Amino acid sequence: MNASHHESPPDMSTRRIGLWLVGAWGNVGTTVAVGLAALQKKLMPTTGLVTELPMFAKAGLPEFSEFIVGGHEVRPNTYYNAAQVLWQNSRMFSPDLLDQVEDVLETFDANVRPGTLVNVGNAINTIARQGGSSQESTTESPLAAIERLTADLVGFKDTLKLDHVIVVNLASTEPASSIPPNDPVLATWKALEEALNSEKPLDLPASSLYAIAAFNSGCTYINFTPSVGSNLPALAELADLRKALHGGRDGKTGETLLKSVLAPMFRARNLEVKSWVGHNILGNADGQILNDPNNKATKVNSKDRLLGEILGYKPQSLVSIEYIESLGDWKTAWDHVHFDGFLGTRMTMQVTWQGCDSALAAPLVIDLARLADREKRAGGSGVMSFLSSFFKSPMGTDLAEFAAQNLVLADWAKKASKS
Ligand SMILES: NC(=O)c1ccc[n+]([C@@H]2O[C@H](COP(=O)([O-])OP(=O)(O)OC[C@H]3O[C@@H](n4cnc5c(N)ncnc54)[C@H](O)[C@@H]3O)[C@@H](O)[C@H]2O)c1
């Protein structure tokens, strides 16, 4: 983690793209690294990758071999160790596959730097401290953190001569920010910059500090978590100033994906949903963090909001997320939907979803990086609203239905294929 040099994987082509994972050695980060290494060596099929669908065949997306992984972490580890734990607890990736990609994983490890724990809340702090996080990452000022994170990104880009770096936030979900979203200090970059420079600096969440560092170093920023990240008017302004791309928030991988597919069916058939209950149980580190009521509130809010947006009214709803250790990375979601049909006849739909959380999320992270790189090459900047189908709380659009979001993506692919 503190290695002073960066290394690149063996298979390189002319274009070089950095994929910088914040929360590098977490479950999703590890699955991205193992997956990318396996794809680079052509060891695994591309199932689960949206960008491998025929509609992207001529869109000019980058090859897997063009990516080099780096990142920020707050708990020392290695990709190989983190992947072994995933195998032991959740039976993901066989030890045989891991042995075949170990050399590439080591080159990725060499690009991981200590992240920051400024304004992440108690739950993340505790887990990071138990995991051996460094003193520096907990005591620095927000401004010092931005400077350090920016220098890491510039170092990665310059040393490896990268054409484009995409920062993806895969860190633990933060608690709700202590700053009200409508606080004037968040309205403009000038006000926010002044507040960060003042003697008593603003408590801006770490995810937003990473976003500032990304924009200031000319990188793209994508938020795969429900944390604030770049979702502030002041940061949208900064992104525009730096001509940077950004997008988010909160990967749509399981229960919420189902909701955004099924809720439109009830509306299209004029069936009235009376209540929608979703119980989620999971046993990974993400679930452990979400066990804290403050962190859980951020996630529940992100999972719950789209129902009203799709149906046009708000049925009684409940979303629960409980940490059940023995489940490991396997999440079970049980959805119970109570609805009225013709002549007031009340009916019920129940769905049980059992998914491997990281295997659902990781291909989407690789997709997002490929799509963002293509958009960058086309000269794009600002919010990438065409990525809405990937997110629970998509930025830059009100579209909440999965099918409608997918049409926007298909349109983008058509345009990319022509240019
Ligand atoms: N299907 C999915 O897995 C899915 C879907 C949508 C969103 N997400 C979100 O993605 C994130 C990652 O999920 P996960 O299962 O990999 O969780 P995880 O707990 O396994 O990984 C998170 C990693 O982030 C690190 N971290 C925490 N704070 C950090 C900071 N300030 N800077 C740098 N690193 C930090 C932790 O040490 C940990 O290694 C979570 O926020 C989760 O809610 C996951």
Side-chain angles (χ1 to χ4, degrees):
M1 169 134 130
N2 288 311
S4 58
H5 65 289
H6 293 275
E7 286 179 28
S8 27
D11 182 15
M12 286 184 304
S13 61
T14 44
R15 190 168 168 79
R16 294 158 64 86
I17 310 158
L19 177 54
W20 188 270
L21 308 174
V22 179
W25 289 318
N27 284 356
V28 180
T30 300
T31 311
V32 169
V34 173
L36 200 53
L39 291 166
Q40 287 178 347
K41 292 193 169 196
K42 299 190 173 32
L43 298 172
M44 292 307 252
T46 55
T47 321
L49 282 154
V50 176
T51 49
E52 285 295 302
L53 287 169
M55 71 176 178
F56 294 102
K58 295 196 172 93
L61 301 183
E63 303 288 335
F64 303 121
S65 58
E66 292 172 57
F67 287 93
I68 298 162
V69 172
H72 279 121
E73 237 317 331
V74 290
R75 296 181 301 174
N77 206 347
T78 65
Y79 277 119
Y80 191 82
N81 280 344
Q84 267 188 328
V85 172
L86 269 171
W87 161 253
Q88 280 152 13
N89 295 345
S90 306
R91 286 294 175 263
M92 287 185 62
F93 357 95
S94 68
D96 180 46
L97 175 71
L98 270 189
D99 286 344
Q100 292 182 75
V101 296
E102 190 179 359
D103 56 338
V104 181
L105 295 181
E106 276 171 11
T107 66
F108 292 166
D109 281 332
N111 300 328
V112 178
R113 298 288 176 270
T116 186
L117 283 165
V118 170
N119 302 332
V120 294
N122 289 337
I124 299 177
N125 247 312
T126 307
I127 281 188
R129 236 176 289 124
Q130 286 164 354
S133 85
S134 78
Q135 186 64 21
E136 187 185 13
S137 66
T138 51
T139 53
E140 62 198 340
S141 72
L143 209 57
I146 293 173
E147 279 167 14
R148 188 169 62 80
L149 304 173
T150 307
D152 290 339
L153 288 168
V154 171
F156 181 54
K157 200 170 173 189
D158 289 353
T159 319
L160 292 175
K161 299 189 173 51
L162 302 172
D163 298 291
H164 180 202
V165 174
I166 300 146
V167 177
V168 184
N169 182 17
L170 297 176
S172 317
T173 298
E174 294 167 351
S177 169
S178 58
I179 316 162
N182 54 359
D183 192 314
V185 82
L186 303 175
T188 64
W189 171 238
K190 186 169 179 285
L192 183 55
E193 198 178 21
E194 271 169 18
L196 286 169
N197 275 299
S198 72
E199 258 172 51
K200 197 182 166 301
L202 188 76
D203 292 338
L204 198 65
S207 57
S208 302
L209 304 179
Y210 282 109
I212 295 172
F215 296 151
N216 281 347
S217 52
C219 303
T220 293
Y221 175 85
I222 295 176
N223 190 358
F224 203 78
T225 83
S227 306
V228 178
S230 65
N231 193 42
L232 297 171
L235 292 198
E237 192 189 326
L238 178 64
D240 287 343
L241 277 172
R242 305 280 186 264
K243 298 195 172 24
L245 285 167
H246 61 129
R249 293 184 290 161
D250 203 6
K252 185 160 71 176
T253 57
E255 195 226 354
T256 316
L257 173 64
L258 268 183
K259 258 187 195 164
S260 73
V261 170
L262 292 174
M265 176 193 76
F266 289 99
R267 203 198 51 198
R269 282 283 188 259
N270 199 10
L271 299 168
E272 189 189 347
V273 177
K274 307 302 284 184
S275 63
W276 194 310
V277 175
H279 284 299
N280 297 268
I281 51 176
L282 75 166
N284 56 22
D286 185 32
Q288 205 177 348
I289 289 282
L290 295 178
N291 226 14
D292 184 291
N294 293 320
N295 302 57
K296 189 186 295 193
T298 309
K299 193 70 160 187
V300 166
N301 184 31
S302 182
K303 285 170 87 71
D304 200 26
R305 60 195 281 273
L306 89 167
L307 213 49
E309 286 168 18
I310 293 176
L311 295 172
Y313 56 90
K314 188 92 188 65
Q316 186 183 356
S317 66
L318 178 91
V319 176
S320 74
I321 308 174
E322 300 301 333
Y323 173 62
I324 305 293
E325 194 178 353
S326 69
L327 291 176
D329 207 45
W330 288 84
K331 183 161 90 184
T332 298
W334 169 65
D335 277 46
H336 181 284
V337 186
H338 213 187
F339 61 99
D340 273 356
F342 195 43
L343 309 177
T345 316
R346 194 150 290 185
M347 303 175 227
T348 307
M349 182 192 74
Q350 295 183 55
V351 187
T352 310
W353 167 273
Q354 283 175 289
C356 181
D357 237 8
S358 306
L360 288 164
L364 303 188
V365 174
I366 298 172
D367 286 328
L368 287 163
R370 294 178 97 189
L371 295 166
D373 186 63
R374 180 67 182 86
E375 184 67 3
K376 182 79 182 172
R377 270 200 293 129
S381 65
V383 181
M384 293 179 282
S385 53
F386 68 94
L387 299 177
S388 58
S389 62
F390 291 90
F391 296 112
K392 293 190 190 77
S393 311
M395 286 166 61
T397 176
D398 292 331
L399 278 188
E401 291 187 16
F402 185 67
Q405 295 172 335
N406 240 347
L407 285 179
V408 174
L409 186 62
D411 254 7
W412 179 92
K414 222 178 267 169
K415 277 192 206 113
S417 305
K418 281 184 195 143
S419 59

